[in-house]
Amino acid sequence: MSDKLPDLIDPLLFAERRSILSGAIKVAALGRLSDLVLADDGEVKVEVLFAKQGKQALISGSIKATLVLECQSCLQALSWPIDLSFKLGVVSSLQEAEKLEVDCEPLLFDGEKVSLNELIEDEILLALPDYPKHGYDCIPRRSSTDAEFDGESRTKTNNPFSVLAKLKKTGE
Ligand SMILES: [Zn+2]
């Protein structure tokens, strides 16, 4: 199977033919995505299946990639695996979109060709978190001065109780 994916496609024609596309798209070819990543030399592995359910043209597929994002806590590189699947119903109006099954997102198609790259890019961008962060505490621990301050305040909060206890004893 060819690794080269077509960019502009006619989704209705592909659905009619029940085409299957499988291949890779370079991250660098996805303009909006490559602006977001720290390294755009990777690839996005894509498999797209076109089908028809009655008259409804459907596009489903999977996207796999490992992107290098910038951690929003420490600003260092963050390896971010993408493994998502999507299902789109090709529609020409909002009324048609409302009839789609709940697990199916509408793809508005006006007869012009659809960019497969943009479609894939949209799905990836939707799946990316607004503030990607390492899954562990990646910022260096606070300085020892902070730790001392913490210790001090804990002693202070304990004090009122011991004072109360003393008062109680003297009151009896
Ligand atoms: Zn981090």
Side-chain angles (χ1 to χ4, degrees):
M1 203 175 289
S2 167
D3 217 32
K4 185 114 174 73
L5 291 167
D7 185 10
L8 295 177
I9 55 161
D10 178 340
L12 296 181
L13 185 67
F14 274 65
E16 207 64 55
R17 291 178 181 164
R18 284 160 176 77
S19 304
I20 297 173
L21 297 176
S22 176
I25 302 172
K26 287 190 170 19
V27 172
L30 306 174
R32 287 169 295 158
L33 183 63
S34 59
D35 281 350
L36 285 177
V37 296
L38 287 186
D40 66 357
D41 53 354
E43 279 188 338
V44 178
K45 287 201 163 51
V46 180
E47 188 165 83
V48 189
L49 286 83
F50 296 83
K52 283 193 92 173
Q53 201 171 64
K55 283 185 166 180
Q56 181 61 58
L58 297 171
I59 308 174
S60 59
S62 63
I63 302 169
K64 288 193 179 83
T66 302
L67 302 173
V68 184
L69 303 180
E70 183 182 62
C71 170
Q72 295 305 296
S73 288
C74 66
L75 305 180
Q76 299 298 308
L78 167 63
S79 176
W80 195 268
I82 296 277
D83 187 352
L84 63 92
S85 53
F86 62 90
K87 190 175 171 190
L88 302 166
V90 184
V91 296
S92 59
S93 66
L94 287 176
Q95 288 96 316
E96 272 184 55
E98 280 165 13
K99 285 184 212 152
L100 290 173
E101 288 172 31
V102 278
D103 67 334
C104 200
E105 296 290 321
L107 174 71
L108 207 58
F109 179 60
D110 57 6
E112 294 289 315
K113 290 199 168 165
V114 167
S115 163
L116 188 66
N117 282 8
E118 272 183 31
L119 190 154
I120 298 295
E121 190 174 27
D122 283 344
E123 293 298 328
I124 297 174
L125 292 176
L126 279 175
L128 287 183
D130 289 336
Y131 299 100
K133 282 176 188 173
H134 284 111
Y136 54 89
D137 207 353
C138 53
I139 296 181
R141 280 263 147 226
R142 289 185 299 165
S143 65
S144 55
T145 342
D146 288 338
E148 272 166 29
F149 180 78
D150 269 356
E152 202 179 302
S153 62
R154 200 175 303 127
T155 329
K156 270 182 187 164
T157 26
N158 282 342
N159 275 342
F161 292 103
S162 47
V163 170
L164 269 181
K166 271 183 197 165
L167 284 175
K168 265 190 176 176
K169 271 182 190 166
T170 27
E172 268 169 18

